Amino acid sequence: MQSPFSRRTPSPSDIAASETISFFQAIQASLRKLESGGDGSGLSNQDIETAIRQVVDQALVSDAVINIFDEAGIKNPDISIISDEFMAEVRGMEHQNLAVELLQKLLKDEVKTRSRTNIVQSRKLSEMLEDALRRYRNQVISVTDILEELLELAKDTKAANARGEELGLEPYELAFYDALSQNQSAQDVMGVDKLRELAIVLVDRIRKNASIDWNLKESVRSRMKVAVKRLLRQYGYPPDMEALAMELVLEQAKVFTEFTVSINT
């Protein structure tokens, strides 16, 4: 499999040069801030050392990440570029702080993308990402540990994209399936096949009731709520979990409706 970093065939020395340039640009920016905030006298060796250390400790700023993607010919990087080769290259980067920034950007972009399609997956990914980054910032785990955690998270996230194909569901059908199967009792009582069927019917029913006035008219939301409740009961969704499922399904319905309206206007 061809590495994503070789789409425009940059050599390893080109990528290394990009990292080095970005590194010194970041140091230069830090020194300029010190100069502008001082009294006009020259910077001491300690000031310079502090500026350099801050750059290293705080990673090599977002511009460095963008530069590396540009060097690799990747204009719109997303989680799909993750591969065994990509992960090997990331692990081998000289400045691991920069590798953390690179993966953080990919995963945060994925959270944003999924929030427009699958609420459950988006929230789950966001929570796991923020938990890992919080432990890293609080120095509970090292840069090597956070790098491995982010790589695994990226790998698992990419694998999750294949679940829809395995279940024979379109992206929004999978989103409703995830919303319905969040509680274990629903999985135990209904099973995969029945939850899958319910998700497909929900998408069809909501598509037929899609309205541009979703955010404006209470009557639209009420009609949708009644339709969802009837379907849950018709398919034998556990009554004790119905309220939680309703809330999540309606949130997902809102996202789906907004998408449906956007492509039809």
Side-chain angles (χ1 to χ4, degrees):
M1 184 183 296
Q2 187 181 25
S3 166
F5 279 160
S6 60
R7 293 182 186 175
R8 210 177 63 187
T9 62
S11 67
S13 60
D14 290 334
I15 296 175
S18 175
E19 289 186 50
T20 302
I21 291 170
S22 298
F23 175 70
F24 285 110
Q25 285 176 339
I27 291 175
Q28 185 182 45
S30 295
L31 293 177
R32 283 176 177 168
K33 286 181 181 178
L34 284 174
E35 287 178 334
S36 63
D39 57 4
S41 58
L43 296 174
S44 67
N45 288 337
Q46 184 176 358
D47 290 333
I48 295 173
E49 182 181 347
T50 299
I52 294 174
R53 187 182 299 114
Q54 286 176 344
V55 171
V56 175
D57 289 345
Q58 296 172 10
L60 304 183
V61 300
S62 59
D63 287 344
V65 175
I66 295 170
N67 287 344
I68 286 180
F69 283 129
D70 285 344
E71 285 294 325
I74 304 171
K75 298 302 180 185
N76 297 298
D78 59 46
I79 210 73
S80 68
I81 71 172
I82 298 293
S83 65
D84 291 340
E85 292 82 358
F86 177 92
M87 291 192 290
E89 291 187 41
V90 168
R91 286 189 178 99
M93 290 175 68
E94 180 181 357
H95 302 291
Q96 289 199 315
N97 285 341
L98 177 55
V100 170
E101 288 291 321
L102 185 151
L103 288 169
Q104 181 180 333
K105 172 177 170 51
L106 283 177
L107 289 165
K108 285 190 173 181
D109 286 349
E110 184 69 10
V111 168
K112 188 180 297 184
T113 298
R114 287 183 184 233
S115 69
R116 296 190 290 268
T117 306
N118 191 315
I119 290 175
V120 171
Q121 287 187 11
S122 173
R123 288 177 180 172
K124 187 177 296 184
L125 175 58
S126 179
E127 288 170 5
M128 290 190 293
L129 176 59
E130 289 306 315
D131 175 66
L133 292 173
R134 181 167 51 252
R135 286 182 287 118
Y136 172 57
R137 294 184 188 116
N138 292 336
Q139 299 182 337
V140 176
I141 55 177
S142 68
V143 65
T144 303
D145 293 331
I146 184 64
L147 182 57
E148 287 303 317
E149 285 200 28
L150 294 183
L151 282 170
E152 278 303 310
L153 188 53
K155 188 176 179 181
D156 292 344
T157 300
K158 186 180 178 183
N161 292 338
R163 287 178 56 246
E165 295 180 14
E166 294 171 2
L167 290 168
L169 297 173
E170 298 295 328
Y172 278 103
E173 292 172 343
L174 177 62
F176 280 99
Y177 176 89
D178 288 340
L180 292 166
S181 60
Q182 276 304 284
N183 65 84
Q184 188 61 46
S185 63
Q187 297 181 43
D188 295 339
V189 171
M190 300 179 66
V192 172
D193 290 341
K194 205 165 186 179
L195 283 171
R196 176 183 174 279
E197 183 182 347
L198 177 54
I200 293 172
V201 173
L202 270 171
V203 168
D204 180 65
R205 187 69 55 84
I206 292 169
R207 183 183 285 115
K208 289 177 180 177
N209 286 277
S211 168
I212 198 168
D213 295 325
W214 173 272
N215 289 311
L216 302 177
K217 289 188 177 180
E218 181 63 31
S219 60
V220 176
R221 293 194 294 273
S222 297
R223 187 170 69 244
M224 190 73 72
K225 187 173 182 178
V226 170
V228 171
K229 183 176 289 188
R230 284 176 179 170
L231 281 173
L232 291 181
R233 292 179 178 176
Q234 178 184 336
Y235 278 81
Y237 200 86
D240 60 319
M241 303 305 299
E242 184 180 286
L244 290 175
M246 278 289 300
E247 182 179 347
L248 195 52
V249 167
L250 287 174
E251 283 188 72
Q252 186 62 59
K254 180 176 182 294
V255 170
F256 177 55
T257 300
E258 289 171 346
F259 166 78
T260 303
V261 169
S262 70
I263 64 174
N264 291 327
T265 54

